[in-house]
Each structure stands twice: as structure tokens, then as C-alpha cells.
Amino acid sequence: MKQTEVLLQPNPNARIEEFVYEKLDRKAPSRMNNPELLGQYMIDAGNEFGPGTAYGNALIKCGETQKRIGTADRELIQTSAINFLTPLRNFIEGDYKTITKERKLLQNKRLDLDAAKTRLKKAKVAEARAAQLNTSQPEENNIMIWAEEVTKSEQEVRITQSEFDRQAEITRLLLEGISSTHAHHLRCLNDFVEAQMTYYAQCYQYMLDLQKQLGSFPSTFLSNNNQSSTTPVQSVSTPSVLASASASLPSVSNSIVTSGVSELKSSSGSRKARVLYDYDAANSSELSLLADEVITVYSIPGMDSDWLMGERGNQKGKVPITYLELLN
């Protein structure tokens, strides 16, 4: 339970604040979460650079996406708290404490019963010894004393046995309810998993939409200090290829995509590839691309691992792998 709280709210100060407001039965003040803060800073910076500039426009688009992720994060925390954390906390702070208390009482009743049985056993042994001795008047008095002690111990055993049986029944009934509690918590766990699945699916879709918007920018704006334009795009290459496989969550691993490119590079043949996004050639050695067109690609010795040679009719040039989907 504690680690789930850490997952949903990593900031320990925020968790303490929420705990205090909860104990005071007051609503905690609403604050922007980290993705929302980052999004706002990006939007402010983009407006300073100017929405009409490529970099400013890109910052604004990134900021808007970060704020959407922040909203999704807020929904995940709220849903998880209601459907998963609250039922678990109620059980731990309620029924579980009751069960623990009753089990401890049962343990004490068992110890009392064991002690009563031990005293009864000792009394019977002492009575038997007294009966074996001479039948003088003092000895007869001892026999009567031990007989009374046995009677008293037997009564004590009956009382402690009754109390133990009653407590055992109470504890048994409480423990039998654990199975239904497990079933309830299993449903809560499923709700938590579904909330996470929805959250990550939303985030994936938001970033996929953002990548498509950024991919439509001219490649000269994606380059940095005349370096290859593949550097800033490389970190999102996996979702680019996965997007063609599924409109929802990706089910194709990155190793499959990598193996397809590796096979093409290791062979002397060519493959058809569909273009995912528009791409403007940065120089004469590259080939400009249009989204959804199909071109022929192949590899030549010594070529950079992030590039392939592409052909469209009589035109040919280098094309970035991250903009392509290899076709069978």
C-alpha cells in the first residue's frame, strides 16, 4: 500500500501534506503536477521564441502534450486511489486490525487454558500422593484440601475451555471472511491494472500524435549544429515503427524491427518501405520523402547504421530509417 502511494505521488512532502489534510477532513489545495509544470514552462518559452518560429511552435506543441499527460496522470491517481488504495487501506486499518486483535486474544485464552490444565494435573497428583500416606487425622485433612483444590481446578478448566472455544469460534468466523476479502481485493487490483493500462495507452497516443506533428517539420529545423537529423529523432524511433503495427498499445517488440533492418543491411537485396512522415532532404545526398508513399530501399557498405539508400523512379538518396516502415 505504501509503495503504491509512492508510485502515484513520488514527492514525500506532497504525501505528508495530503495525509494531514485527510486527517483534518479538508480538501488539499490543487497544484500542478510535474508534467503540467513542464508543459507550462514549454508553452511560455515557445511564446517567447514566437509561435511563428519552428522552434517556438515545437515547444508549444510539446508543452500542450505534456499538459495532456499531466491530466491523464491526475486521472490515474484519482482512479487508483478510489478503486484500489482506499479499499486496501480500509481493510488494513479496519478488518485486519480486528482480526489481529481477536487472534491475539485467542492466543491468550489458549495460554490461560494450558495453565488451568497444568494446575489441575498438579492438584490430582498431590491428591493421589496424600491418599497413599497413612490415614491419620492430619493426612485426612490434607486429602480433603487437595480434593477441594482438584474440584476448584476442574471448574477453572471448564471456564477457560469455554472462553477458549468461544474466542476460537469468533476468530474462525473472521478468518473465513478472508476469502471474500481476497475476491474483493482481486477486483480492486484488476481496476488498478486497467487504470494503468488506460493511462499508458493515452500517453502513448499523445506522444505518437506529437511525434507526427514534429516529424512534419523541415529536417533543417531538427538538426543541431549541422549534425545528422537522426540524432534528435532517434529517441522516438521505436514508437514510429510500432505505430504502423497497431493503433492502440504496441504489441511488436523493437527487436523485430531491428532484425528486419539488420537483415536488409547484411544482404545485398532491396525491400519496399512505406514512408511514415514527410522528410525534406538536408543536402543533395539525401532523398526527400512524402508521407504514405512507397519507395525501394537498400543498404550499401560503409553506410551509417541510421540510414538506408532510397529510390523513387530515377531519384535516389539517403533516407533515415526512423521515417520508414519496412514492408514484407
Side-chain angles (χ1 to χ4, degrees), residues 103-121:
R103 288 185 66 180
K104 188 175 181 180
L105 282 175
L106 178 63
Q107 182 72 6
N108 292 335
K109 296 296 182 183
R110 186 187 66 81
L111 294 175
D112 292 342
L113 178 59
D114 291 344
K117 288 180 177 179
T118 301
R119 284 193 291 270
L120 175 61
K121 184 178 179 181

PDB file of all heavy atoms in Angstrom, residues 103-121:
ATOM      1  N   ARG A 103      -7.120 -12.641  17.184  1.00  0.00           N
ATOM      2  CA  ARG A 103      -6.153 -13.740  17.191  1.00  0.00           C
ATOM      3  C   ARG A 103      -5.243 -13.651  18.418  1.00  0.00           C
ATOM      4  O   ARG A 103      -4.868 -14.677  18.994  1.00  0.00           O
ATOM      5  CB  ARG A 103      -5.316 -13.709  15.909  1.00  0.00           C
ATOM      6  CG  ARG A 103      -6.084 -14.122  14.661  1.00  0.00           C
ATOM      7  CD  ARG A 103      -5.189 -14.196  13.447  1.00  0.00           C
ATOM      8  NE  ARG A 103      -4.208 -15.258  13.569  1.00  0.00           N
ATOM      9  CZ  ARG A 103      -3.296 -15.526  12.634  1.00  0.00           C
ATOM     10  NH1 ARG A 103      -3.237 -14.795  11.536  1.00  0.00           N
ATOM     11  NH2 ARG A 103      -2.447 -16.511  12.805  1.00  0.00           N
ATOM     12  N   LYS A 104      -4.898 -12.436  18.795  1.00  0.00           N
ATOM     13  CA  LYS A 104      -4.083 -12.263  19.994  1.00  0.00           C
ATOM     14  C   LYS A 104      -4.860 -12.685  21.240  1.00  0.00           C
ATOM     15  O   LYS A 104      -4.311 -13.327  22.162  1.00  0.00           O
ATOM     16  CB  LYS A 104      -3.639 -10.804  20.108  1.00  0.00           C
ATOM     17  CG  LYS A 104      -2.639 -10.559  21.217  1.00  0.00           C
ATOM     18  CD  LYS A 104      -2.133  -9.121  21.198  1.00  0.00           C
ATOM     19  CE  LYS A 104      -1.104  -8.898  22.311  1.00  0.00           C
ATOM     20  NZ  LYS A 104      -0.595  -7.492  22.296  1.00  0.00           N
ATOM     21  N   LEU A 105      -6.158 -12.346  21.277  1.00  0.00           N
ATOM     22  CA  LEU A 105      -6.997 -12.770  22.399  1.00  0.00           C
ATOM     23  C   LEU A 105      -7.096 -14.290  22.462  1.00  0.00           C
ATOM     24  O   LEU A 105      -7.062 -14.887  23.545  1.00  0.00           O
ATOM     25  CB  LEU A 105      -8.397 -12.157  22.261  1.00  0.00           C
ATOM     26  CG  LEU A 105      -8.555 -10.688  22.662  1.00  0.00           C
ATOM     27  CD1 LEU A 105      -9.969 -10.206  22.356  1.00  0.00           C
ATOM     28  CD2 LEU A 105      -8.242 -10.491  24.146  1.00  0.00           C
ATOM     29  N   LEU A 106      -7.215 -14.924  21.279  1.00  0.00           N
ATOM     30  CA  LEU A 106      -7.283 -16.382  21.228  1.00  0.00           C
ATOM     31  C   LEU A 106      -6.001 -17.004  21.779  1.00  0.00           C
ATOM     32  O   LEU A 106      -6.044 -18.003  22.509  1.00  0.00           O
ATOM     33  CB  LEU A 106      -7.520 -16.840  19.779  1.00  0.00           C
ATOM     34  CG  LEU A 106      -7.569 -18.356  19.562  1.00  0.00           C
ATOM     35  CD1 LEU A 106      -8.744 -18.963  20.312  1.00  0.00           C
ATOM     36  CD2 LEU A 106      -7.667 -18.682  18.073  1.00  0.00           C
ATOM     37  N   GLN A 107      -4.874 -16.413  21.430  1.00  0.00           N
ATOM     38  CA  GLN A 107      -3.597 -16.903  21.940  1.00  0.00           C
ATOM     39  C   GLN A 107      -3.534 -16.796  23.468  1.00  0.00           C
ATOM     40  O   GLN A 107      -3.078 -17.722  24.162  1.00  0.00           O
ATOM     41  CB  GLN A 107      -2.449 -16.109  21.310  1.00  0.00           C
ATOM     42  CG  GLN A 107      -1.062 -16.543  21.725  1.00  0.00           C
ATOM     43  CD  GLN A 107      -0.642 -17.878  21.138  1.00  0.00           C
ATOM     44  OE1 GLN A 107      -1.350 -18.448  20.323  1.00  0.00           O
ATOM     45  NE2 GLN A 107       0.504 -18.375  21.570  1.00  0.00           N
ATOM     46  N   ASN A 108      -4.029 -15.682  24.007  1.00  0.00           N
ATOM     47  CA  ASN A 108      -4.053 -15.508  25.461  1.00  0.00           C
ATOM     48  C   ASN A 108      -4.993 -16.515  26.129  1.00  0.00           C
ATOM     49  O   ASN A 108      -4.678 -17.062  27.205  1.00  0.00           O
ATOM     50  CB  ASN A 108      -4.472 -14.086  25.814  1.00  0.00           C
ATOM     51  CG  ASN A 108      -3.428 -13.054  25.401  1.00  0.00           C
ATOM     52  OD1 ASN A 108      -2.244 -13.377  25.279  1.00  0.00           O
ATOM     53  ND2 ASN A 108      -3.856 -11.821  25.185  1.00  0.00           N
ATOM     54  N   LYS A 109      -6.155 -16.776  25.487  1.00  0.00           N
ATOM     55  CA  LYS A 109      -7.096 -17.757  26.036  1.00  0.00           C
ATOM     56  C   LYS A 109      -6.485 -19.156  26.039  1.00  0.00           C
ATOM     57  O   LYS A 109      -6.724 -19.953  26.958  1.00  0.00           O
ATOM     58  CB  LYS A 109      -8.399 -17.748  25.234  1.00  0.00           C
ATOM     59  CG  LYS A 109      -9.177 -16.442  25.299  1.00  0.00           C
ATOM     60  CD  LYS A 109      -9.669 -16.145  26.708  1.00  0.00           C
ATOM     61  CE  LYS A 109     -10.484 -14.855  26.740  1.00  0.00           C
ATOM     62  NZ  LYS A 109     -10.906 -14.507  28.117  1.00  0.00           N
ATOM     63  N   ARG A 110      -5.705 -19.454  25.024  1.00  0.00           N
ATOM     64  CA  ARG A 110      -5.054 -20.762  24.960  1.00  0.00           C
ATOM     65  C   ARG A 110      -4.030 -20.898  26.084  1.00  0.00           C
ATOM     66  O   ARG A 110      -3.922 -21.960  26.724  1.00  0.00           O
ATOM     67  CB  ARG A 110      -4.374 -20.960  23.604  1.00  0.00           C
ATOM     68  CG  ARG A 110      -3.791 -22.363  23.418  1.00  0.00           C
ATOM     69  CD  ARG A 110      -2.979 -22.458  22.155  1.00  0.00           C
ATOM     70  NE  ARG A 110      -1.779 -21.620  22.238  1.00  0.00           N
ATOM     71  CZ  ARG A 110      -0.658 -21.990  22.862  1.00  0.00           C
ATOM     72  NH1 ARG A 110      -0.590 -23.151  23.484  1.00  0.00           N
ATOM     73  NH2 ARG A 110       0.385 -21.197  22.882  1.00  0.00           N
ATOM     74  N   LEU A 111      -3.293 -19.829  26.343  1.00  0.00           N
ATOM     75  CA  LEU A 111      -2.319 -19.860  27.437  1.00  0.00           C
ATOM     76  C   LEU A 111      -3.014 -20.019  28.791  1.00  0.00           C
ATOM     77  O   LEU A 111      -2.529 -20.762  29.666  1.00  0.00           O
ATOM     78  CB  LEU A 111      -1.477 -18.580  27.421  1.00  0.00           C
ATOM     79  CG  LEU A 111      -0.554 -18.396  26.207  1.00  0.00           C
ATOM     80  CD1 LEU A 111       0.118 -17.033  26.259  1.00  0.00           C
ATOM     81  CD2 LEU A 111       0.491 -19.502  26.146  1.00  0.00           C
ATOM     82  N   ASP A 112      -4.149 -19.339  28.961  1.00  0.00           N
ATOM     83  CA  ASP A 112      -4.913 -19.485  30.212  1.00  0.00           C
ATOM     84  C   ASP A 112      -5.411 -20.916  30.377  1.00  0.00           C
ATOM     85  O   ASP A 112      -5.371 -21.477  31.494  1.00  0.00           O
ATOM     86  CB  ASP A 112      -6.108 -18.525  30.216  1.00  0.00           C
ATOM     87  CG  ASP A 112      -5.673 -17.069  30.298  1.00  0.00           C
ATOM     88  OD1 ASP A 112      -4.509 -16.816  30.694  1.00  0.00           O
ATOM     89  OD2 ASP A 112      -6.486 -16.186  29.956  1.00  0.00           O
ATOM     90  N   LEU A 113      -5.894 -21.516  29.279  1.00  0.00           N
ATOM     91  CA  LEU A 113      -6.391 -22.889  29.338  1.00  0.00           C
ATOM     92  C   LEU A 113      -5.259 -23.864  29.667  1.00  0.00           C
ATOM     93  O   LEU A 113      -5.431 -24.775  30.489  1.00  0.00           O
ATOM     94  CB  LEU A 113      -7.041 -23.253  28.007  1.00  0.00           C
ATOM     95  CG  LEU A 113      -7.576 -24.689  27.873  1.00  0.00           C
ATOM     96  CD1 LEU A 113      -8.630 -24.962  28.941  1.00  0.00           C
ATOM     97  CD2 LEU A 113      -8.145 -24.922  26.475  1.00  0.00           C
ATOM     98  N   ASP A 114      -4.098 -23.663  29.052  1.00  0.00           N
ATOM     99  CA  ASP A 114      -2.947 -24.537  29.336  1.00  0.00           C
ATOM    100  C   ASP A 114      -2.535 -24.430  30.803  1.00  0.00           C
ATOM    101  O   ASP A 114      -2.210 -25.446  31.450  1.00  0.00           O
ATOM    102  CB  ASP A 114      -1.767 -24.173  28.434  1.00  0.00           C
ATOM    103  CG  ASP A 114      -2.020 -24.534  26.981  1.00  0.00           C
ATOM    104  OD1 ASP A 114      -2.945 -25.328  26.717  1.00  0.00           O
ATOM    105  OD2 ASP A 114      -1.291 -24.015  26.100  1.00  0.00           O
ATOM    106  N   ALA A 115      -2.545 -23.204  31.340  1.00  0.00           N
ATOM    107  CA  ALA A 115      -2.170 -23.010  32.747  1.00  0.00           C
ATOM    108  C   ALA A 115      -3.168 -23.688  33.684  1.00  0.00           C
ATOM    109  O   ALA A 115      -2.785 -24.316  34.692  1.00  0.00           O
ATOM    110  CB  ALA A 115      -2.078 -21.516  33.059  1.00  0.00           C
ATOM    111  N   ALA A 116      -4.479 -23.593  33.358  1.00  0.00           N
ATOM    112  CA  ALA A 116      -5.508 -24.230  34.186  1.00  0.00           C
ATOM    113  C   ALA A 116      -5.365 -25.753  34.164  1.00  0.00           C
ATOM    114  O   ALA A 116      -5.509 -26.425  35.209  1.00  0.00           O
ATOM    115  CB  ALA A 116      -6.895 -23.820  33.704  1.00  0.00           C
ATOM    116  N   LYS A 117      -5.088 -26.309  32.991  1.00  0.00           N
ATOM    117  CA  LYS A 117      -4.889 -27.759  32.894  1.00  0.00           C
ATOM    118  C   LYS A 117      -3.662 -28.204  33.683  1.00  0.00           C
ATOM    119  O   LYS A 117      -3.665 -29.281  34.310  1.00  0.00           O
ATOM    120  CB  LYS A 117      -4.747 -28.162  31.427  1.00  0.00           C
ATOM    121  CG  LYS A 117      -6.046 -28.079  30.642  1.00  0.00           C
ATOM    122  CD  LYS A 117      -5.827 -28.498  29.190  1.00  0.00           C
ATOM    123  CE  LYS A 117      -7.141 -28.490  28.409  1.00  0.00           C
ATOM    124  NZ  LYS A 117      -6.929 -28.884  26.983  1.00  0.00           N
ATOM    125  N   THR A 118      -2.622 -27.404  33.664  1.00  0.00           N
ATOM    126  CA  THR A 118      -1.412 -27.734  34.429  1.00  0.00           C
ATOM    127  C   THR A 118      -1.690 -27.732  35.924  1.00  0.00           C
ATOM    128  O   THR A 118      -1.248 -28.634  36.668  1.00  0.00           O
ATOM    129  CB  THR A 118      -0.290 -26.735  34.096  1.00  0.00           C
ATOM    130  OG1 THR A 118      -0.009 -26.780  32.696  1.00  0.00           O
ATOM    131  CG2 THR A 118       0.973 -27.070  34.865  1.00  0.00           C
ATOM    132  N   ARG A 119      -2.454 -26.734  36.414  1.00  0.00           N
ATOM    133  CA  ARG A 119      -2.795 -26.673  37.844  1.00  0.00           C
ATOM    134  C   ARG A 119      -3.666 -27.864  38.243  1.00  0.00           C
ATOM    135  O   ARG A 119      -3.510 -28.430  39.331  1.00  0.00           O
ATOM    136  CB  ARG A 119      -3.502 -25.352  38.149  1.00  0.00           C
ATOM    137  CG  ARG A 119      -2.557 -24.154  38.214  1.00  0.00           C
ATOM    138  CD  ARG A 119      -3.246 -22.945  38.816  1.00  0.00           C
ATOM    139  NE  ARG A 119      -4.272 -22.415  37.916  1.00  0.00           N
ATOM    140  CZ  ARG A 119      -4.056 -21.495  36.984  1.00  0.00           C
ATOM    141  NH1 ARG A 119      -2.827 -20.999  36.817  1.00  0.00           N
ATOM    142  NH2 ARG A 119      -5.045 -21.060  36.229  1.00  0.00           N
ATOM    143  N   LEU A 120      -4.599 -28.259  37.364  1.00  0.00           N
ATOM    144  CA  LEU A 120      -5.451 -29.417  37.661  1.00  0.00           C
ATOM    145  C   LEU A 120      -4.620 -30.694  37.742  1.00  0.00           C
ATOM    146  O   LEU A 120      -4.830 -31.529  38.640  1.00  0.00           O
ATOM    147  CB  LEU A 120      -6.522 -29.552  36.578  1.00  0.00           C
ATOM    148  CG  LEU A 120      -7.426 -30.796  36.669  1.00  0.00           C
ATOM    149  CD1 LEU A 120      -8.201 -30.798  37.998  1.00  0.00           C
ATOM    150  CD2 LEU A 120      -8.398 -30.849  35.480  1.00  0.00           C
ATOM    151  N   LYS A 121      -3.690 -30.827  36.852  1.00  0.00           N
ATOM    152  CA  LYS A 121      -2.828 -32.014  36.858  1.00  0.00           C
ATOM    153  C   LYS A 121      -2.009 -32.091  38.138  1.00  0.00           C
ATOM    154  O   LYS A 121      -1.882 -33.171  38.765  1.00  0.00           O
ATOM    155  CB  LYS A 121      -1.917 -31.978  35.636  1.00  0.00           C
ATOM    156  CG  LYS A 121      -1.046 -33.212  35.495  1.00  0.00           C
ATOM    157  CD  LYS A 121      -0.201 -33.116  34.222  1.00  0.00           C
ATOM    158  CE  LYS A 121       0.698 -34.348  34.078  1.00  0.00           C
ATOM    159  NZ  LYS A 121       1.540 -34.258  32.847  1.00  0.00           N
TER     160      LYS A 121
END
